[in-house]
């Protein structure tokens, strides 16, 4: 299988040697099987990815003690050793995104042919961006994260402010917005831009390896390209598994709240209620089973239908908190916290706590590993999935419009959710109404605990039921989309060929990864596995950032010298081109 575009001979062409730079690579061959079980798939990508994910599952199921011991060692050594890499990489991605926007010539380049109109209206595009990578996190962390930092953050650890006090609110939101703001969305934006720019402008396959073609050229057709796509698939599965784990726990907590049975939750050794093994298994069978059926039904009848439900229920829930919750307090928090976030962003993005042997320094390092480093790894692992989706829907937009839209709009939506929903929970705690019942509840139950205090019992039960439905649709949509994206990567960017059995495999694999890790060691086990799994893709991500910068800079040089920069223009260029040997294709 090859992408559409000009003849490969163009790779060596420049018009009679009169131009100092060659046209871009507009064809990248990726071999796919043409019959049988792997029809339409790259076996060099699909089989290794399946083997790696299967080994992770079997390790957790058949060697649980060894798995937990290994994860514990990894948590204290490997993750700590690479914490600085994660912190500085995300800062680099944010700075790179700003550079792409601020340089006028780069910002005006189009993700597609010059003058090409966007495929979707701006309203539809923003709506789809909202659904990409936000849903489950908003429901779990809109109360969970502000409350967690309200009870413990670096300022509290240093002893400069008191936990759960009015003074703890502002730093709580600085860190909440840090984790859900530009760091996350600039990561997604650069992955999507790296893929979309070369796919829509140069005609390369819509897959992860294509984004590195500006750096490595046709070498991405072979083993290096296969390795990149395998790493992307494994990172996607682990990143989505971590997201689903939070959603499953909250889904079970919601069912427990609305009276589906005491068996759904069990008390741990610390007395905190957590989802029972039986509840986890049943929830995964229902949710991943439904997502697999949705994936089998196709994008039109599956993801689109669920996304519309998600949007309506999400804004309905947000409106409820704005009207019946602490809406005014939330808006005040929104303004103050956004200002604090922007002012403190440079320092917060580059801060790396060091352990000097003191108790306070050790606590600060542990806090950063448990929150900031975890988030950066999560967003990196989630980036192939979200980036591929954003690349698909962003054809025809300029780089400036694209980066600003992807970085700003979802960030602001996250901030609004955190301020209104989390602000209501904090206000109930500060006023004494909650009396610790929200902040001391497990994170999966904090949204339901807030609703129970905010509304009459009957109304709270109804709204909690709607939240459970919303969780279910978000979980199904996320798993559904992840399965389809993984198949797209395995299929060298195409959606053709045999897909049904591969959809069943990846749906089952997701369920087993989430279930085995949750039962083995809870969220912590999946967190550690995900952070380690994100590490190889973080190297790919750094290369992607360098690659897209090289691609746009070289295209500006090509424009200056009258050299084509798109697949269509290269086809016309071929007829007049000569073949000097001293020009390398980029």
């Amino acid at each position: 299988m090859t992408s559409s575009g000009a003849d490969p001979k163009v790779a060596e062409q420049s018009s009679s040697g009169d131009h100092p730079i060659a046209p871009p690579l507009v064809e990248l061959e990726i071999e796919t099987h043409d019959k049988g079980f792997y029809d339409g798939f790259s076996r060099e990508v699909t089989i290794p990815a399946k083997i790696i994910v299967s080994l992770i599952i079997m390790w957790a199921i058949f060697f649980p003690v060894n798995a937990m011991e290994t994860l514990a060692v990894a948590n204290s050594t490997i993750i700590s050793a690479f914490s600085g890499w994660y912190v500085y990489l995300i800062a680099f991605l944010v700075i790179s995104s700003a550079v792409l926007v601020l340089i006028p010539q780069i910002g005006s380049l189009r993700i597609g042919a010059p003058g090409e109109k966007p495929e979707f209206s701006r309203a539809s595009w923003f709506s789809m961006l909202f659904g990409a990578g936000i849903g489950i996190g908003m429901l779990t962390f809109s109360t969970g994260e502000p409350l967690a930092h309200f009870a413990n953050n670096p300022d509290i650890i240093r002893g400069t402010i008191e936990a759960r006090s009015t003074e703890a609110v502002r730093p709580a939101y600085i860190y909440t917005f840090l984790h859900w703001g530009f760091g996350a969305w600039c990561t997604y934006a650069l992955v999507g831009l790296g893929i979309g720019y070369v796919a829509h402008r140069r005609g390369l396959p819509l897959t992860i390896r294509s984004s590195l073609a500006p750096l490595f050229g046709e070498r991405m057709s072979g083993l290096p390209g296969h390795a990149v796509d395998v790493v992307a698939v494994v990172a996607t599965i682990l990143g989505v598994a971590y997201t689903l784990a939070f959603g499953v726990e909250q889904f079970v907590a919601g069912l427990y709240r609305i009276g589906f049975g005491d068996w759904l939750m069990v008390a741990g050794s610390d007395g905190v209620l957590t989802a029972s093994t039986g509840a986890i298994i049943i929830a995964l069978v229902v949710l991943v089973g439904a997502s697999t059926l949705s994936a089998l039904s196709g994008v039109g009848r599956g993801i689109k239908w669920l996304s519309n439900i998600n949007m309506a229920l999400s804004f309905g829930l947000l409106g409820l908190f704005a009207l019946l919750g602490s809406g005014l307090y939330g808006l005040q928090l929104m303004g103050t916290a956004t200002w604090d976030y922007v002012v403190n962003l440079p320092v917060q993005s580059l801060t790396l706590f060091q352990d000097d042997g003191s108790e306070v320094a050790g606590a600060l390092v542990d806090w950063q590993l448990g929150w900031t480093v975890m988030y950066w790894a999560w967003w990196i692992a989630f980036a192939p999935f979200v980036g591929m989706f954003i690349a698909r829907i962003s054809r025809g937009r300029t780089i400036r419009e694209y980066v600003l839209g992807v970085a700003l709009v979802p960030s602001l939506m996250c901030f609004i959710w955190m301020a209104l929903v989390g602000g209501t929970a904090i206000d109930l705690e500060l006023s004494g109404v909650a009396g610790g019942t929200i902040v001391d509840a497990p994170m999966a139950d904090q949204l339901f605990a807030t609703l129970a205090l905010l509304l009459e019992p009957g109304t709270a039960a109804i709204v909690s039921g709607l939240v459970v439905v919303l969780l279910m649709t978000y979980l199904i949509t996320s798993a559904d989309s992840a399965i389809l994206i993984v198949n797209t990567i395995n299929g060298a960017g195409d959606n053709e060929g045999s897909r049904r059995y591969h959809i069943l495999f990846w749906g089952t694999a997701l369920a087993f990864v989430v279930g085995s890790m949750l039962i083995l060691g809870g969220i912590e086990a999946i967190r550690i596995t995900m952070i380690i799994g994100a590490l190889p893709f973080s190297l790919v991500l750094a290369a992607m950032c360098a690659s897209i910068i090289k691609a746009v800079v070289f295209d500006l040089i090509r424009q200056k010298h009258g050299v084509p920069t798109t697949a269509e223009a290269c086809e016309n260029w071929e007829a007049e081109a000569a073949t000097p040997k001293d020009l390398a294709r980029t």
Side-chain angles (χ1 to χ4, degrees), residues 82-100:
F82 287 96
S83 59
W85 165 248
Y86 281 120
V87 169
Y88 296 135
L89 174 60
I90 295 297
F92 172 66
L93 299 179
V94 173
I95 293 170
S96 299
S97 298
V99 169
L100 291 173

Side-chain angles (χ1 to χ4, degrees), residues 146-175 329 333 336-337 340 344 426-427 429-431:
L147 284 169
H149 300 327
F150 175 62
N152 187 45
N153 64 58
D155 292 335
I156 295 172
I157 293 171
R158 294 187 186 100
T160 57
I161 59 175
E162 185 180 349
R164 305 185 183 188
S165 65
T166 303
E167 292 75 22
V169 176
R170 287 186 73 165
Y173 271 90
I174 290 176
Y175 294 110
Y329 179 68
L333 269 181
T336 303
D340 287 344
N344 289 282
I426 287 178
D427 193 33
E429 289 288 355
L430 288 174
S431 66

Side-chain angles (χ1 to χ4, degrees), residues 72 136 191 246 255 285 343 357 402 482 548 579:
I136 298 171
V191 172
F246 279 110
L255 293 176
V285 169
V343 170
Y402 167 88
I548 187 59
T579 58

Side-chain angles (χ1 to χ4, degrees), residues 121-135:
S121 69
R122 191 166 290 166
S124 297
W125 187 57
F126 285 155
S127 176
M128 286 185 280
L129 288 178
F130 171 79
I134 295 181

Side-chain angles (χ1 to χ4, degrees), residues 537-553:
F537 188 74
S538 70
L539 302 176
V540 175
L541 180 56
M544 289 178 74
C545 186
S547 184
I548 187 59
I549 291 173
K550 179 182 180 182
V552 297
V553 169

Side-chain angles (χ1 to χ4, degrees), residues 24 33 72 74 80 88 91 94 105 120 158 160 166 188 213-214 301 310 359 361 435 457 459 471 529 532 575 578:
H33 205 50
S80 298
Y88 296 135
V94 173
Q105 296 91 335
F120 299 99
R158 294 187 186 100
T160 57
T166 303
Y188 297 156
R301 288 175 292 175
N310 294 346
E359 184 178 347
T459 307
L471 263 170
T529 307
I532 297 170

Side-chain angles (χ1 to χ4, degrees), residues 226-509:
H226 301 330
V228 166
D229 281 348
V230 169
V231 165
V233 169
V234 175
T236 298
I237 292 298
L238 294 179
V240 172
Y242 190 56
T243 304
L244 292 179
F246 279 110
V248 166
E249 287 202 332
Q250 192 171 27
F251 180 72
V252 172
L255 293 176
Y256 176 79
R257 276 274 178 178
I258 59 179
F260 270 70
D262 293 340
W263 64 274
L264 292 166
M265 305 289 284
V266 294
S269 57
D270 54 0
V272 176
L273 291 176
T274 57
S276 67
T277 299
I280 291 171
I281 293 172
I282 292 174
L284 285 170
V285 169
V286 172
L287 295 170
V288 179
S291 68
T292 303
L293 291 174
S294 176
L296 289 169
S297 73
V299 176
R301 288 175 292 175
I303 297 175
K304 284 186 178 180
W305 183 75
L306 290 172
S307 296
N308 291 334
I309 296 177
N310 294 346
M311 189 67 66
L313 290 176
S314 296
F315 280 101
L317 181 63
L318 187 63
L320 183 145
F321 274 93
L323 295 174
L324 301 181
S326 305
L328 181 59
Y329 179 68
L331 290 175
Q332 291 172 338
L333 269 181
M334 174 72 183
T336 303
T338 302
W339 170 256
D340 287 344
Y341 167 67
V342 173
V343 170
N344 289 282
L345 182 61
V347 173
Q348 296 291 350
S349 297
L350 295 171
T351 296
L352 183 65
F353 297 127
Q354 301 291 338
D355 190 351
D356 59 9
S358 67
E359 184 178 347
V360 170
L364 288 172
V365 169
D366 289 342
W367 182 91
Q368 189 169 44
L369 289 175
W371 285 100
T372 306
V373 174
M374 178 276 293
Y375 269 118
W376 294 166
W378 191 6
W379 303 148
I380 289 168
F382 219 51
F385 163 42
V386 180
M388 286 276 287
F389 173 76
I390 295 175
R392 280 184 175 277
I393 65 173
S394 299
R395 184 179 187 123
R397 303 201 176 272
T398 64
I399 289 178
R400 180 177 296 106
E401 179 186 18
Y402 167 88
V403 174
L404 287 175
V406 175
L408 289 178
V409 174
S411 293
L412 287 174
M413 285 305 306
C414 290
F415 295 170
I416 292 170
W417 267 90
M418 300 291 186
L420 290 178
V421 181
T424 296
I426 287 178
D427 193 33
L428 290 170
E429 289 288 355
L430 288 174
S431 66
V433 173
T437 57
I438 301 176
V439 70
D440 290 332
M443 185 180 288
D445 192 45
Q446 286 176 334
L447 178 59
F448 299 111
T450 304
L451 290 171
L453 286 174
L454 192 64
L455 306 171
E456 293 294 326
T459 307
I462 294 172
V463 175
S464 295
L466 291 175
V467 171
V468 170
V469 172
L470 181 57
L471 263 170
M472 181 175 66
T473 57
Y474 269 130
L475 285 163
I476 293 171
T477 303
S478 295
D480 178 350
S481 302
I483 292 167
L484 294 175
I485 289 298
V486 164
N487 269 346
T488 301
I489 297 173
N490 289 333
D494 280 354
N495 290 313
E496 299 175 358
S498 175
R499 292 289 185 266
R500 182 173 300 273
Y501 295 112
H502 300 278
I503 287 173
L504 291 173
F505 173 85
W506 290 114
T508 304

